[in-house]
Amino acid sequence: MKLSKYLTPVLLVVSCCFAIGCAAPSNPVVESGGVSSADLNGIYVFEESETHWRYLNVPGSGNSLYRSRITKEYSLDELRKEKNCLIRVETVVQGGVSYKTMRMHDEPTYWLGSSKTFAPSGQEEPFVSVTDDEDIPNEMRHFFKIHTFGKSNGMAVVAIESMEYPGHYFESLGHTFTGNGVRLVAHNSPESAQKLYVHRQATGFEIGD
């Protein structure tokens, strides 16, 4: 399935939650059992509240990853058919070290990366960016480490660390460049970072399906 590049992103910040995020719910109840590499291919969501998710997506040809709000009652399988929200995770080895790359399944040249902008105060704001490139990235700014914490309600629970900015993790906070983007926030450990859930897709799917 090939999604249109002309989906209109919601650029306006309509509430403070877009710009500064909302208080995250309590820590998820983690089930026993491991997380496989296949469990990391899917729709990535932050839990905004007991009733809503924030799902990661690229709504058009912009250079930022977005987090859009959706009720938990809505089927994530249906959402996958409508939005560019399915993320494929792959392993690359550089200098003998394994890293993860993350790209959009339906726009396979769209790679997630780490960039920075600046607040009006001049303070640096690292954030999750998107690069359109036919080639597999070989730069640290496109590499991540995905820390796994078991599963909750069948979904892998993860914290995602930037290798460009070690110790900085995906967080449901906007930034100066994109009010409903995803910021990279410093934490002392992956355990203290905000968690995401991964709604897994079928293991046999191919890039571009």
Side-chain angles (χ1 to χ4, degrees):
M1 178 182 70
K2 193 73 170 179
L3 294 183
S4 170
K5 292 187 178 180
Y6 299 98
L7 294 172
T8 303
V10 179
L11 298 177
L12 295 179
V13 178
V14 296
S15 71
C16 64
C17 288
F18 278 74
I20 61 174
C22 297
S26 58
N27 290 331
V29 176
V30 177
E31 305 157 357
S32 60
V35 174
S36 70
S37 58
D39 291 323
L40 301 180
N41 293 316
I43 300 170
Y44 282 70
V45 297
F46 290 107
E47 187 175 25
E48 181 180 87
S49 67
E50 292 183 359
T51 59
H52 286 82
W53 301 117
R54 288 277 185 174
Y55 68 93
L56 305 188
N57 67 102
V58 180
S61 57
N63 56 5
S64 288
L65 183 68
Y66 283 70
R67 54 187 176 90
S68 301
R69 194 167 185 255
I70 189 173
T71 175
K72 289 183 178 180
E73 295 179 354
Y74 195 81
S75 166
L76 293 177
D77 291 321
E78 289 301 312
L79 181 70
R80 180 261 186 274
K81 300 174 185 177
E82 300 167 0
K83 303 294 184 181
N84 189 13
C85 60
L86 180 55
I87 294 176
R88 182 71 173 255
V89 174
E90 295 161 311
T91 301
V92 296
V93 178
Q94 190 170 95
V97 180
S98 295
Y99 303 102
K100 298 296 185 185
T101 60
M102 305 178 72
R103 60 170 157 170
M104 306 311 297
H105 175 81
D106 297 307
E107 296 284 359
T109 63
Y110 284 8
W111 302 86
L112 305 194
S114 302
S115 299
K116 66 181 178 181
T117 185
F118 294 89
S121 63
Q123 182 178 1
E124 289 187 358
E125 288 183 348
F127 69 97
V128 184
S129 57
V130 177
T131 300
D132 188 354
D133 197 330
E134 296 283 349
D135 298 324
I136 298 174
N138 60 3
E139 297 177 321
M140 200 61 67
R141 67 189 181 95
H142 288 113
F143 296 160
F144 301 96
K145 183 173 183 180
I146 300 180
H147 303 267
T148 60
F149 298 90
K151 294 183 178 180
S152 180
N153 295 320
M155 294 191 289
V157 180
V158 303
I160 306 175
E161 182 180 4
S162 165
M163 293 293 93
E164 176 77 357
Y165 304 107
H168 288 71
Y169 300 82
F170 283 36
E171 191 141 329
S172 186
L173 291 171
H175 45 84
T176 302
F177 190 70
T178 304
N180 55 339
V182 178
R183 197 183 302 182
L184 293 166
V185 175
H187 289 276
N188 292 329
S189 68
E191 286 76 14
S192 64
Q194 187 173 5
K195 306 302 186 293
L196 295 100
Y197 299 80
V198 188
H199 179 68
R200 177 180 171 178
Q201 297 294 298
T203 57
F205 73 104
E206 298 294 335
I207 286 290
D209 285 353

